[in-house]
Amino acid sequence: MASPVAVSDPARVEALTLALSSVASRIAAIAQSTPPRLVAVSKLKPASDIQALYASAGHRHFGENYVQELVDKAAQLPDDIQWHFIGSLQSNKCATLASIPNLFAVETVDAVKKARKLNDARIEQWEKLNVFIQVNTSGEESKSGVAPGKETVEVARYIVNDCPRLKLLGLMTIGSIARSHAAAEGEQNEDFTALLDTKQLVESELGVDSLELSMGMSQDFEDAIKQGSTNVRVGSVIFGARPPRKSAQII
């Protein structure tokens, strides 16, 4: 049973609900058929913000970047929230993540070792844990992720063949800000194109289909949808600017 969470100020509830509705409308205006999944990225925001959107807007998919913050919030909030872990994945945190019953997906798997640890820690009787492979499409050293192409196929093959408690849901990328800006000028985002190409390669090599694409954030989710994203991760446009991590008050 989740612990009670303080109710947000009515003005805050209204602001959050309107912001979420605005993003949903923008998504619907672009989506060709089924709108992509909207993950509201609630990192460094209080649990009361999540409770507000859960109750007032019926939203269920929320994303967190820090393991302990996700653990704390999951313990306080309704157990039908579907959590996404979207932060850098450390091997020593895999077991902790896998022990969260309503963890919908880990979007940042970037190594066979981490997939194995998630699989081994997941309780067999629970539903399979969805995972995305994080692909470093921009080649930036500052970003995590496997290289597009052969490396991605190898991790995908391991998940499909050797991780019975995991489900390969798709591929994920963060991409570069510069390419997001270029896309805003009407060009194709090269990072999104690379992820789509890698998806098609993985599907061909493994004989699977319908893998998802998690790409697009607050600055570029509309362009990502145009290029095939099925899962967008939107934070600041919904919740507003975040405080520095060290000063954030996590409820």
Side-chain angles (χ1 to χ4, degrees), residues 84-134:
H84 294 239
F85 181 73
I86 60 174
S88 180
L89 181 61
Q90 299 175 311
S91 295
N92 64 352
K93 299 292 186 180
C94 288
T96 301
L97 278 173
S99 68
I100 299 171
N102 55 325
L103 181 64
F104 177 80
V106 176
E107 297 202 20
T108 48
V109 175
D110 60 1
V112 163
K113 177 182 179 181
K114 296 174 187 179
R116 181 172 65 250
K117 285 181 173 291
L118 286 171
N119 179 76
D120 291 349
R122 192 67 173 175
I123 294 177
E124 187 174 4
Q125 289 74 22
W126 291 357
E127 290 186 7
K128 290 185 177 184
L129 176 60
N130 295 311
V131 296
F132 289 81
I133 298 172
Q134 183 174 357

Side-chain angles (χ1 to χ4, degrees), residues 19 41 47 52 55 65 75 92 97 172 218 234 247 249:
V41 180
N65 285 60
N92 64 352
L97 278 173
M172 174 268 210
S218 287
V234 181
S247 63
Q249 296 181 354

Side-chain angles (χ1 to χ4, degrees), residues 58 135 138 161 175 185 205 222 247:
V135 183
S138 64
N161 293 339
E185 298 299 323
E205 291 287 326
E222 287 163 311
S247 63

Side-chain angles (χ1 to χ4, degrees), residues 176 179-180 183 187-194 220 223 227:
S176 74
R179 290 177 183 173
S180 292
E187 301 175 22
Q188 289 271 302
N189 187 313
E190 295 176 20
D191 291 319
F192 299 160
T193 299
D220 56 13
D223 294 309
Q227 291 187 239

Side-chain angles (χ1 to χ4, degrees), residues 122-173:
R122 192 67 173 175
I123 294 177
E124 187 174 4
Q125 289 74 22
W126 291 357
E127 290 186 7
K128 290 185 177 184
L129 176 60
N130 295 311
V131 296
F132 289 81
I133 298 172
Q134 183 174 357
V135 183
N136 187 348
T137 53
S138 64
E140 296 171 281
E141 292 184 3
S142 61
K143 290 189 169 65
S144 301
V146 297
K150 181 181 177 181
E151 289 186 26
T152 303
V153 172
E154 289 176 351
V155 177
R157 192 186 310 278
Y158 180 80
I159 293 170
V160 170
N161 293 339
D162 299 288
C163 297
R165 299 174 192 173
L166 304 182
K167 177 182 178 180
L168 179 61
L169 193 59
L171 308 181
M172 174 268 210
T173 195

